[in-house]
Amino acid sequence: MTFTVASVAAALGANAAGRTSLEIRKPAEPSQASAEDLALAMDPKFADALRGTRARAALVWDGADWQASGLEAAIFVPRSRYVMAGVTTLFDHGIDAPLGIHPTALVSDEAELGEGASVGPFCVIERGARIGPGARLMAHVVIGANAELGADALLHAGVKVGARVRIGARFIAQPGAVIGADGFSFVTPKPGAIEEAKATGAITGMAERQGFARIHSLAAVQIGDDVEVGANTTIDRGTIEDTRIGSGTKLDNLVQIGHNVKIGETCLVCGQAGVAGSTTVGDRVVLGGQVAVADHLSVGSDVIVTGQSGVSANVPPGRVMMGTPAVKMDLNVEIYKALRRLPRMAARVLDLEKRVSKLDPKD
């Protein structure tokens, strides 16, 4: 698969200069690029590497002196990070998913498959499931009874979609994702240690083990359009009302979404983050890596929570939160500065105590 410099520029909506008829085989780092590669040097920090590259064409920043680097052609990009989306789309290797149903797949006679769907080896599609047109199911995917999968979905190896789950168009799930498992919801016959500790901060006789009764998950999961779910991420189904993920939201690897959670549109939830049951998250929210959000909370729209923060209270819209417990970022920075000063303050207090102890009470 080759492209000319001109065709790459056209696909990116960018301007090109020089020998735009040059053929490009693949993108590469400037130091690793060959004569047929497109060197990725979209920032001035790559200027030195670009001067030593073997590539004849490169993606460069606006205003770059590309000819001084010995290049024969250049494509100018205004926003380097954004252009990577276009470059990787253009040169993507694609997915090998032959049309039709693999002989080893088990597909219920009561399931519906849309036109152009692909069902890979050892897949299972249970009764009443509906698979949209153009959907691609790679090896060992399981679609539960009465689940719905939208058009042009891509489910990588080992994805499990539970019963009654409804998923919109252009859904992508990376290997091992589980959509629609039971929620983690248990209760003791009498108020127990967890409830007492939450209410009073103490544990008394209620700490005696009583055993746990399961609260069954009767609802399912609803997912909008253009949602992506990372590898080994789990989304639990709701107890009475469905767990919901809004359109355009992207979940990273190893994310846990609890039962009854509502996540809005165009959110980013980074790796190892967890949202506990019955919490509502607004639109355009960013949860950094390893963020923990407690249960039964409300996180407003346009909130950013930095990595490893712990959200234990409601968050109004538009806040940037940091720390555990999470507070406004500027306050957290002040708290951190105060913590760093504590050793010096403690030493000063100890010194003052020694001085005071030596004073004569009569003075």
Side-chain angles (χ1 to χ4, degrees):
M1 183 172 61
T2 60
F3 299 90
T4 64
V5 170
S7 64
V8 172
L12 300 177
N15 296 321
R19 286 185 58 195
T20 57
S21 61
L22 282 174
E23 290 191 344
I24 301 300
R25 181 167 55 92
K26 62 178 176 59
E29 296 290 335
S31 60
Q32 304 295 322
S34 70
E36 296 179 340
D37 293 341
L38 180 68
L40 301 181
M42 294 91 76
D43 190 278
K45 67 182 181 182
F46 293 108
D48 290 340
L50 194 58
R51 280 190 284 270
T53 187
R54 292 180 295 166
R56 295 180 294 167
L59 283 176
V60 297
W61 63 97
D62 278 338
D65 188 359
W66 57 278
Q67 291 170 312
S69 300
L71 297 171
E72 298 179 36
I75 301 172
F76 301 95
V77 294
R79 178 165 160 76
S80 60
R81 182 69 177 168
Y82 185 74
V83 81
M84 284 298 293
V87 171
T88 54
T89 298
L90 185 63
F91 288 93
D92 185 56
H93 297 294
I95 300 294
D96 183 15
L99 295 180
I101 302 172
H102 192 275
T104 61
L106 297 177
V107 180
S108 170
D109 293 338
E110 299 178 46
E112 297 181 20
L113 268 65
E115 183 179 356
S118 171
V119 180
F122 302 102
C123 288
V124 176
I125 302 178
E126 298 181 1
R127 60 180 177 79
R130 301 174 62 184
I131 309 301
R136 293 167 291 172
L137 279 58
M138 309 308 288
H140 295 277
V141 167
V142 176
I143 307 294
N146 300 307
E148 297 181 13
L149 183 63
D152 300 313
L154 172 59
L155 276 59
H156 287 275
V159 171
K160 309 297 189 293
V161 176
R164 305 180 306 281
V165 169
R166 287 179 286 173
I167 299 175
R170 298 171 298 279
F171 176 70
I172 296 176
Q174 298 298 329
V178 178
I179 317 297
D182 273 346
F184 188 72
S185 191
F186 299 88
V187 65
T188 52
K190 298 179 181 179
I194 296 173
E195 292 161 278
E196 184 185 25
K198 190 173 182 178
T200 67
I203 301 175
T204 59
M206 291 185 181
E208 297 175 1
R209 295 294 182 190
Q210 306 177 51
F212 296 102
R214 167 179 286 280
I215 298 175
H216 290 267
S217 300
L218 305 182
V221 176
Q222 291 187 35
I223 295 178
D225 297 334
D226 301 299
V227 171
E228 298 194 21
V229 173
N232 296 318
T233 280
T234 55
I235 304 174
D236 293 342
R237 64 175 179 262
T239 306
I240 302 298
E241 187 177 356
D242 289 348
T243 302
R244 298 174 186 266
I245 309 294
S247 294
T249 286
K250 316 296 183 185
L251 309 182
D252 196 1
N253 301 336
L254 297 169
V255 167
Q256 160 65 16
I257 306 299
H259 58 283
N260 309 328
V261 166
K262 308 290 186 292
I263 294 183
E265 298 185 354
T266 326
C267 295
L268 287 177
V269 183
C270 300
Q272 298 185 338
V275 182
S278 301
T279 282
T280 299
V281 177
D283 300 329
R284 301 172 301 278
V285 171
V286 178
L287 303 181
Q290 297 186 334
V291 162
V293 183
D295 60 293
H296 294 84
L297 297 181
S298 174
V299 178
S301 295
D302 303 299
V303 165
I304 296 176
V305 184
T306 65
Q308 292 193 324
S309 296
V311 179
S312 57
N314 294 334
V315 181
R319 288 273 179 92
V320 180
M321 306 292 287
M322 176 184 285
T324 301
V327 295
K328 291 174 67 175
M329 187 172 69
D330 53 355
L331 176 59
N332 181 266
V333 171
E334 292 303 314
I335 292 171
Y336 175 69
K337 289 178 180 177
L339 284 173
R340 293 189 63 182
R341 289 194 292 264
L342 282 179
R344 285 182 294 167
M345 293 175 63
R348 291 180 62 187
V349 170
L350 181 60
D351 181 62
L352 290 171
E353 286 179 340
K354 290 179 179 179
R355 294 185 185 185
V356 170
S357 66
K358 295 177 181 179
L359 292 176
D360 189 334
K362 298 178 183 179
D363 294 341

